[in-house]
Amino acid sequence: MNTTTTTWLPRPPQNKRLERFRTFIQKPALVPIARFSEFLTPGNICLFQGQPNKIEVIETLVRTLHGQDHNAALQAIWSREREGTLGIRPDVSIMRGRLEHTHHIRAALGICPEGVFDPSNPDGLTRLFVVFVGPTTQTRLHTAFLVAASALFHNRRLVEQLVRMKSPENVLQALHVAEGTEHRQNPLKRAIEPISHFFRMYFAWNRAETP
């Protein structure tokens, strides 16, 4: 296993990395006002075999974000990474960025059953990577998404279930079940979901606490 992943970013001070990584580990899970699974499709879920390096994982996930400038998204994510990765659990990391011409959250999920060496992770290996980009002006929207991810992935049993799955479709279904959104897979529900999702996120912007 290669534990010297090459990156073009300077590593932040150790104490700052630990503080950032444990931000969501130490906080109790809050009641989410959005649902993490609603931001994903099977095309945004990647299952990695073996032990890829962190850069490969992030670049692959960013390429699944449709309608985005992938180079700009990568630059925003790596720039934010200088401050450290947010950690929900010792093996779940969140990497995020903000883009001026993005008006909504665009997210992807990477699952690495064998774990990936992550210099930002004080515990060494990361099995789940959450990557997302969002608008530069909607801090509350970012907060709503982070709370949804935190509430979901604090569930140790769910994480263990996800790393054993063999298809993005099964992963997404498991997320829907965990969040109680599986009924939205009904064709009629799917047809009206974009409208209802817009209103849920509109109220999320106004209800979420600014960090």
Side-chain angles (χ1 to χ4, degrees):
M1 176 179 175
N2 178 16
T3 59
T4 58
T5 302
T6 302
T7 178
W8 52 89
L9 295 173
R11 294 180 62 181
Q14 177 72 6
N15 59 342
K16 190 170 186 179
R17 289 194 301 114
L18 293 176
E19 178 184 353
R20 286 280 180 177
F21 190 85
R22 289 180 174 145
T23 296
F24 274 76
I25 292 178
Q26 294 176 346
K27 284 185 177 180
L30 303 174
V31 177
I33 55 180
R35 294 291 181 266
F36 178 83
S37 58
E38 295 175 341
F39 295 91
L40 296 178
T41 68
N44 301 125
I45 299 172
C46 299
L47 309 181
F48 295 89
Q49 303 298 321
Q51 295 178 322
N53 65 51
K54 181 178 179 178
I55 293 176
E56 291 173 351
V57 171
I58 302 309
E59 289 181 345
T60 299
L61 293 176
V62 167
R63 285 195 294 270
T64 71
L65 304 180
H66 300 297
Q68 303 300 306
D69 182 330
H70 295 157
N71 289 332
L74 278 170
Q75 183 177 0
I77 289 170
W78 290 126
S79 294
R80 192 65 182 265
E81 180 72 355
R82 291 191 181 99
E83 301 177 13
T85 301
L86 286 178
I88 299 175
R89 286 166 32 99
D91 55 353
V92 181
S93 295
I94 298 180
M95 301 183 64
R96 73 271 189 226
R98 300 191 182 199
L99 296 174
E100 292 184 357
H101 302 295
T102 296
H103 304 291
H104 195 54
I105 294 291
R106 296 290 183 265
L109 174 65
I111 300 177
C112 310
E114 297 184 27
V116 172
F117 174 73
D118 184 352
S120 298
N121 182 349
D123 293 290
L125 295 178
T126 298
R127 296 194 294 170
L128 267 63
F129 287 90
V130 176
V131 169
F132 77 96
V133 294
T136 58
T137 57
Q138 292 290 349
T139 299
R140 292 178 177 179
L141 180 58
H142 280 250
T143 302
F145 180 83
L146 289 170
V147 169
S150 176
L152 183 63
F153 293 118
H154 265 95
N155 185 338
R156 180 180 295 273
R157 181 177 298 178
L158 174 64
V159 172
E160 295 302 326
Q161 180 184 3
L162 294 179
V163 298
R164 293 194 299 268
M165 291 188 166
K166 304 300 183 184
S167 74
E169 290 78 12
N170 288 343
V171 170
L172 185 58
Q173 180 62 23
L175 295 175
H176 281 307
V177 170
E179 293 187 305
T181 57
E182 67 272 19
H183 64 282
R184 293 177 186 147
Q185 299 307 294
N186 178 281
L188 178 59
K189 294 289 185 179
R190 285 202 303 269
I192 65 174
E193 183 60 26
I195 299 174
S196 61
H197 182 64
F198 169 81
F199 283 105
R200 281 195 302 276
M201 294 312 303
Y202 173 80
F203 289 113
W205 298 342
N206 292 280
R207 291 173 52 199
E209 295 180 358
T210 303

